[in-house]
Structures are given as C-alpha cells and as structure tokens.
Amino acid sequence: MMLGSRNHAKEMMQRGASRKGAPPSPSIDGQGRRWNKTSFSSVPRTLPDSLDHAGHSLVWDPELEAHIEGNLATEVSMIVLDTLFVVEQVVSSTEHSQTLLASVLRVMLHALNTTQSTQFLQHLFALQRSLVSKYPNLLFDEATEHCAALCKSLLKHCSSSISGVRSQASASLYLLMRQNYEIGNNFARVKMQVTMSLSSLVAEISNNFKFNEEHLRKSLKTILTYAEQDNELSDSFNSFPEQVQDLVFNLHMILSDTVKMKEYLDDPEMHMDLMYRIAKGYQTSPDLRLTWLENMANKHKEQGHHAEAGMCLVHSAALVSEYLHMLEDRRYMPNGAVTYSKLTPNALDESAVSDDIVSPDEEGICNGKNFTENGLIEFLEHAAEEFTQAGMYEAVNEVYKPVIKIVEANRDFKKLAEIHKKLFKAFEKIESLQGKRVFGTYFRVGFYGRRFDDLDGEEFVYKEPMLTKLPEIACRLESFYGNKYGQDNLIIIKDSKQVE
C-alpha cells in the first residue's frame, strides 16, 4: 500500500506543469485565465504547506488539475479498451468463448453513451468497426437490441459539435449499413433501427437534452458521399447508393419534426399534440408508430398524466397484438386490436386492415423485442401500473385479462399469483373508494386570430387536475400566451358562446 501526502500530490502536479510541449489552456483574453471574473485573479493562488520542509510554496493551478484528471480518465478508458481487444483476440483463437463477445459489445456501448475524450473515441470507433466486421451475427442475427442501441449511440455522435467525432461516427454508421447490405442485398434492419433511433432522439429533446440537427445533417451528407463513391456496390442489384439515399431522405423528414418540437418545447399540450400527429403519420409503419407511442407514454408519465400514459401503452399492446395475430394465430393470444376495445374504442385504430400496411414477414419489420409475447405482457403490465396510479382500477382488471390467458397457457403459477394479488388490491380500492373518487376536470379551449397561425379556429379539450376551477386554467393560459404574444394582443373569453 502506498500512502501519499498532500505535498506529494502537489509535487506531481508541479512536475506535470514543468513538462515541455504542454498545450496552452484556452482563454478569451490570452492571459491564461479560464474565465474573466473579478473574483478570480489571473495570478495563481499559493497554498501554504506546513509540511514542506524545503520552505518552497507550491502553486495550485485549477486548469492544470483539470488537465491531469482528463488525461487520467482517458488513460483508464484506454486500458479498458486494451482489455476488450485482448478478450476479442482470445475469443478469435478459440471456439468455446463466443458468448464473451456480447459482453464486450455491451461495454463498448456503455462507453459510447458516456462522455469521453476525442482521442479515446477515435480508438473506440475503430474497435467497434472491427468487431462488427468480424462478428456481424452479434447485431444482425439475434441481439436486435444491440443493433438498436448501437444505431442510437452513433446518431448521437453524428450530431457532435466536434468534426473529428462526427466523421468517425459517420464512418461507423455507414459501414454498419454496408455490412448489413452485404449479408442479403438489403439493410432493412439497420434502416429501421436508425429511423427508430432518430425518432426516439427527436422525442427526447427537452431543456435538459438537445442535439444539433445541423451537425447531424452534415453527417448524413457524409454518409451519402460514402455510398456514392463506393464503387464495389454502386452497380449491385437493388443499388445500395439508392437505398442509402432513401434512408437519408427519411431521416431528413424526421429532422424536420425537430424544429416543430423545439417550437412547442415550453407548451406541454401543443408538444403532446404534435407527438400525436407524428405518431398518426406512421400508421402504416408499425415499428415507428410503436416508437412514438412509447415516446408519448414516457412524456405523459414525466408530466404525471398517468391515465394518458396508460392509454398510450394500451395502444402499443393493441399494435403488437395485431401483428402477433398476423404472424401466428394462437388460441391463448389476443385476437388483435379488437381485444382492447372495451378499454378504449380508439384501440381499433391499430387494426392492420389497410392495403398500405406492411407485412410482418418483411425483413426488418416487427422483429424487435417488443413484438413478442414478453413484449406484449410488459406493455400491459406497465399500463396496469399507470392506471393504478391514476385511480382507474376498473381498467386494471380489463388490462390483466389477456395477460392471464397467456400466463395460464405458459403454466407460470408464480406470475399468476402476483397478478391476482394486484387484482385483489384493485378490487379492494374500488370497494373502499365507492363514491369518493374524483378524476380530472375538462375544459374546452379554442384559439382564434391570425397570430395563432395553424391554430386559428381550432378547438381542444384540456384535461386539468381534479377540482381545477375555470379562473385557474384561464390564468395559466393567459400568462403563457401573454408572454408569447404580448398581453395587449390577447383576449380571454371565459364563456361558452360561439366566437364570431
């Protein structure tokens, strides 16, 4: 064991400061200061040390300390990367350790989702490309969630403000498409996963999470250039560059939603209405619609709208049931979306009756973990949790009916016991709260005037918390739109008469 004193640590920092060739710290005025504040002197502070027997005072430099910590973090990450490379080398020389590769990929995905230095990311992207090239079955055979996670991580880095990171991420994403295409003259799986991942990123935009769509557009242009200059695949059947061009076009369409999402970021009702319209636009694409239904459920849950979150999850379950019913008709499985019509007649919107509906047999369609029995059960159980929090205990009973049939067919009696315990509690609540439950309050809100643009003449139903009075919602809307358009340009009409 080594014991280091404070003096020893400062000696190490002083030695690091005396190294030649150290990069200068960025500053605005060129005087070596990190920021220009009156409370922060440009002269480094001197820390007295009574243990310094030589009588010298050591200088504490916060910029140098941050520089040392950054280098240390990069070095630790590089050691982890070296270890992953060693594991991959061992696996390649044996036939009995292939399962370790999934763990290697998970560690790499974790590293991609954390803040790393550009130097480390360069090596990480190189190892990731090598791993996917040598073992494509890691992504394209079974572990679809790995493919989805990798696509989402690469898209995040494609929107980086650092050009070097963007170029590396673009190269990795392009080679992922190319690898998938070479397997069967199609990269439907990667195409779908990339589209779904971008939809998820757009839906996650908030004051806490933002990504630069302009930088992402530059990365997409780079990917398109790669495809156009790839001579090996340019003359192939079902031209690869054309497929890449179609994907890039779809991604640009999704990015156009980003501008609208940012516009309504401070207006939760309009923000949710926009998400609903986007989800409605993907009625013929089950994977993308399911992605947006999940996004809506998460957003409702964040805002404490548990009943609405539960309904989004019921729609998700109806969509999954519809496609599972098309794939294989099992007696214990729900008969499509019509099973949930008692919960909400809107569940019939998920019925696959249109000629434009894609077949689940197509490659890359409905092959995620959500389009399985377990995925369906998970949606329904989460819906039951949301309805319980919303006090809608009758809905809990309806949600668990299809789940019980599946669990009974699987003879999972432990799961059955858990479900019946939850139903017992729900029925007790119904009995004990008879005549005492109070739900939300609803108001009709209309927008009239050219300043509202597309909202002019539109009317909406606003759901507010229980016992909300008219003056409360009127005050909230007046404050919000008054700040947006100016108090002098806003008139609040509080009666229900028709507006001329």
Side-chain angles (χ1 to χ4, degrees), residues 195-478:
T195 311
M196 291 169 59
S197 297
L198 184 57
S199 295
S200 296
L201 287 174
V202 170
E204 290 173 9
I205 292 177
S206 63
N207 293 324
N208 298 323
F209 172 75
K210 297 178 182 178
F211 74 94
N212 193 311
E213 63 269 17
E214 290 303 318
H215 291 156
L216 185 54
R217 291 183 193 275
K218 291 179 181 178
S219 297
L220 295 178
K221 187 176 181 181
T222 302
I223 291 172
L224 198 56
T225 303
Y226 284 147
E228 292 170 351
Q229 296 178 356
D230 195 337
N231 297 325
E232 292 183 20
L233 298 177
S234 59
D235 298 327
S236 59
F237 180 71
N238 290 332
S239 177
F240 179 66
E242 290 181 6
Q243 292 191 41
V244 174
Q245 190 172 4
D246 290 340
L247 172 61
V248 170
F249 176 77
N250 292 335
L251 296 180
H252 279 299
M253 292 295 291
I254 294 174
L255 281 175
S256 63
D257 297 330
T258 307
V259 179
K260 299 176 185 177
M261 297 286 279
K262 288 182 177 179
E263 182 181 350
Y264 294 121
L265 203 57
D266 296 327
D267 189 345
E269 288 85 9
M270 291 304 170
H271 188 266
M272 188 58 65
D273 184 68
L274 176 60
M275 293 181 74
Y276 169 78
R277 281 181 279 162
I278 294 172
K280 193 75 174 175
Y282 291 122
Q283 197 83 35
T284 58
S285 179
D287 294 272
L288 287 172
R289 176 155 176 81
L290 188 63
T291 298
W292 279 97
L293 286 172
E294 287 185 88
N295 293 336
M296 291 172 64
N298 292 332
K299 190 64 69 174
H300 277 306
K301 191 174 180 180
E302 289 175 9
Q303 298 172 357
H305 303 155
H306 298 291
E308 289 77 9
M311 285 299 173
C312 289
L313 291 166
V314 167
H315 274 260
S316 300
L319 180 61
V320 172
S321 297
E322 193 71 21
Y323 280 87
L324 288 179
H325 184 65
M326 291 172 64
L327 283 171
E328 187 175 357
D329 187 9
R330 298 177 183 175
R331 294 181 61 184
Y332 62 87
M333 292 293 290
N335 295 323
V338 68
T339 305
Y340 309 94
S341 57
K342 283 187 177 181
L343 275 165
T344 167
N346 295 329
L348 296 176
D349 292 344
E350 311 304 333
S351 299
V353 295
S354 170
D355 294 335
D356 298 328
I357 298 294
V358 296
S359 170
D361 295 326
E362 294 183 27
E363 185 182 355
I365 303 297
C366 305
N367 61 359
K369 64 179 182 179
N370 291 325
F371 287 94
T372 60
E373 274 189 25
N374 291 333
L376 174 61
I377 291 174
E378 189 174 340
F379 279 130
L380 290 172
E381 287 188 325
H382 285 168
E385 292 173 5
E386 295 301 320
F387 287 140
T388 300
Q389 293 194 55
M392 299 173 64
Y393 304 110
E394 292 84 357
V396 175
N397 182 38
E398 290 296 327
V399 165
Y400 273 122
K401 284 180 179 179
V403 179
I404 290 174
K405 288 184 178 180
I406 299 173
V407 176
E408 282 180 347
N410 295 331
R411 298 184 65 82
D412 189 346
F413 297 107
K414 182 178 179 182
K415 187 77 173 178
L416 276 172
E418 293 175 358
I419 292 173
H420 284 292
K421 283 180 182 177
K422 292 176 181 177
L423 287 174
F424 174 74
K425 291 180 180 178
F427 294 146
E428 275 195 327
K429 286 287 187 181
I430 295 173
E431 182 63 29
S432 63
L433 297 176
Q434 191 106 24
K436 301 177 182 177
R437 281 185 286 173
V438 181
F439 297 103
T441 310
Y442 296 86
F443 297 90
R444 179 173 66 94
V445 179
F447 297 87
Y448 308 94
R450 288 177 295 177
R451 287 185 181 272
F452 290 112
D453 297 325
D454 295 340
L455 295 178
D456 183 17
E458 295 289 334
E459 292 185 349
F460 300 89
V461 176
Y462 274 56
K463 180 188 175 184
E464 294 294 307
M466 62 181 75
L467 305 179
T468 301
K469 303 298 182 183
L470 179 61
E472 294 178 53
I473 184 174
C475 181
R476 181 172 71 83
L477 293 176
E478 183 176 12

Side-chain angles (χ1 to χ4, degrees), residues 177 180-181 185-195 243 362-365 367:
M177 298 176 191
N180 194 200
Y181 179 84
N185 285 339
N186 197 345
F187 63 102
R189 178 167 295 183
V190 172
K191 188 187 299 185
M192 182 57 65
Q193 295 295 348
V194 168
T195 311
Q243 292 191 41
E362 294 183 27
E363 185 182 355
I365 303 297
N367 61 359

Side-chain angles (χ1 to χ4, degrees), residues 10-23 58-59 61 64 67-68:
K10 288 193 287 184
E11 286 178 5
M12 288 290 290
M13 290 196 299
Q14 194 175 42
R15 259 183 270 157
S18 64
R19 293 174 185 166
K20 295 180 180 180
L58 299 178
V59 177
D61 188 345
L64 177 60
H67 190 68
I68 291 174

